[in-house]
Amino acid sequence: MKEILDAILAQSTQQTSPGGTAPGTAADFAALPLPDSYRAVTVHKDETEMFEGLTTRDKDPRKSLHLDEVPVPELGPGEALVAVMASSVNYNSVWTSIFEPLPTFAFLERYGRQGELGRRHDLPYHIIGSDLAGVVLRTGAGVNAWQPGDEVVAHCLSVELESADGHNDTMLDPEQRIWGFETNFGGLAEIALVKSNQLMPKPRHLTWEEAASPGLVNSTAYRQLVSGNGAGMKQGDNVLIWGASGGLGSYATQFALAGGATPVCVVSSEQKAEVCRAMGAEAVIDRSAEGYAFWGEDGEQDPREWKRFGKRIRELTGGEDVDIVFEHPGRETFGASVYVTRKGGTIVTCASTSGYKHEYDNRYLWMSLKRIVGSHFANYREAWEANRLIAKGRIHPTLSKVYALEETGQAAYDVHHNLHQGKVGVLALAPREGLGVRDSELRARHIDAINRFRSAA
Ligand SMILES: NC(=O)c1ccc[n+]([C@@H]2O[C@H](COP(=O)([O-])OP(=O)(O)OC[C@H]3O[C@@H](n4cnc5c(N)ncnc54)[C@H](OP(=O)(O)O)[C@@H]3O)[C@@H](O)[C@H]2O)c1
């Protein structure tokens, strides 16, 4: 592993084009010996019942996440092995680590039934992680667009595309999986296995840990809010964003601002409100300070609280309702989200963190011609567009804190307990923060915006 790391650290500013390699580099990297094994963050199949009887909150990722030495997987056609310099924690790492709503080994078993290549994934350990920034080490048969030495980030959509269903929108492929969640060999490790059509150029002005942090949430927020497959946000829209300083929300807020819309940010503390202001948002609601209680003690929702919330939104928008609600908290907020959306507006949802059995008053939906749109991750094109905005410095990473690989349990604990802001990074092979910048001029133009989030967080 040392030889690989030395070669990457020696690359400095040699690269000639985004995703391209300097002459000779591809052959040099292809000649580097692969180690037999590498360090990876895992959950273990024989521990999936370790939290039996505990509440969700008491299930502790620090107990279930391990740092193991694991063998390098066999490389298949259309795939790439990548040396991971940095990764990040997503909420899906929390779900895997607490074995909710079900142990992710069920996904690996299903993949394992798919054929010879799928079988590699069905192991007694699951290497998690759905983001990476790193360097291609090997490519499999049939890979022409990428070569060893390319500096890359990976999006997390793994598709087989053998069925016609996925060919208009790859998210509709019946064998669509989230890499590092529904597949093995994820990014919270020193080496990762991806399909080559997950690769995208690493933004050249960012450090490894900054480049690894937007990936999953940035692409998801892009499809959910901006893409025609999601809400199709347009200039002038008012967009209510739940968890606006969190993983998804910090990118949704930036997309709204960059796209000429007005974000109405909802957060749960003054510090998080400050983070939203640091991104440029002006309309911010502190849901804790204002004490919204959408659900009463009796287990029923209280429409008076929806109304109070709607009134507050109008105060911030000059009397207007929101065109789009960017939903993900789910059960706790969904009734309010449907209520406050303007006539003809869109509630777009990609998750149900607080519970997936939603209740809302359907009269407010059908009588006001609103629509609910389901959204899930992003196709390659959408992920590419979202990454391109990062690479151009139009959208910035929202990294708040960085941990070492062996501290991933604590990083996941922070996200599970909502102690974090934006994204939490993890260093894999990178020996320290701050490495990997290839375009200092572009960085200098955006350094204030990049630093603003972290300073406020
Ligand atoms: N389908 C997909 O492709 C996809 C992709 C990414 C994420 N997700 C899912 O989306 C969810 C959020 O992910 P994330 O990365 O943004 O997580 P995150 O970084 O934890 O941010 C979520 C934010 O939502 C707010 N929130 C949480 N519970 C809430 C509640 N009961 N009521 C109101 N606000 C609440 C919190 O902000 P405040 O406390 O400041 O209000 C929290 O910081 C997770 O369930 C994740 O699994 C789905």
Side-chain angles (χ1 to χ4, degrees), residues 95 216 247-248 267-268 272 287 328 350-351 353 376-377 418 420:
W95 294 127
L216 182 149
L248 288 169
V267 289
S268 63
K272 290 183 172 195
R287 66 182 173 99
H328 50 89
C350 78
T353 313
H376 184 41
F377 188 60
N418 201 9
H420 68 302

Side-chain angles (χ1 to χ4, degrees), residues 238-308:
N238 293 317
V239 184
L240 183 78
I241 301 171
W242 290 104
S245 76
L248 288 169
S250 57
Y251 293 92
T253 299
Q254 292 188 72
F255 286 133
L257 288 165
T262 301
V264 179
C265 296
V266 188
V267 289
S268 63
S269 71
E270 178 46 34
Q271 196 207 356
K272 290 183 172 195
E274 209 37 64
V275 168
C276 294
R277 289 184 203 107
M279 287 188 284
E282 290 172 6
V284 186
I285 296 175
D286 179 344
R287 66 182 173 99
S288 299
E290 297 182 22
Y292 296 103
F294 300 130
W295 288 84
E297 301 270 297
D298 56 359
E300 294 294 324
Q301 294 191 75
D302 183 351
R304 286 169 307 182
E305 284 295 271
W306 298 346
K307 282 184 189 149
R308 184 162 76 91

Side-chain angles (χ1 to χ4, degrees), residues 67-188:
L67 187 61
D68 290 337
E69 193 74 24
V70 296
V72 175
E74 186 195 331
L75 179 66
E79 294 179 341
L81 280 171
V82 181
V84 183
M85 296 300 279
S87 182
S88 84
V89 170
N90 285 295
Y91 214 94
N92 68 5
S93 310
V94 175
W95 294 127
T96 305
S97 70
I98 62 173
F99 309 109
E100 284 195 19
L102 76 173
T104 43
F105 289 99
F107 302 135
L108 305 185
E109 285 162 16
R110 179 170 171 254
Y111 201 5
R113 288 193 290 275
Q114 203 209 31
E116 204 186 315
L117 291 172
R119 254 196 302 285
R120 293 169 304 167
H121 292 258
D122 184 9
L123 295 168
Y125 57 85
H126 185 183
I127 304 165
I128 64 166
S130 300
D131 279 322
L132 70 73
V135 178
V136 175
L137 293 175
R138 295 282 191 278
T139 53
V143 177
N144 302 305
W146 303 94
Q147 51 184 347
D150 282 348
E151 298 192 345
V152 293
V153 291
H155 72 77
C156 63
L157 171 61
S158 167
V159 272
E160 306 303 320
L161 284 179
E162 287 189 292
S163 153
D165 293 2
H167 281 258
N168 272 349
D169 175 7
T170 47
M171 281 306 297
L172 299 181
D173 190 77
E175 296 296 332
Q176 169 269 316
R177 296 181 170 81
I178 298 298
W179 161 71
F181 181 61
E182 293 164 299
T183 81
N184 220 319
F185 316 122
L188 284 161

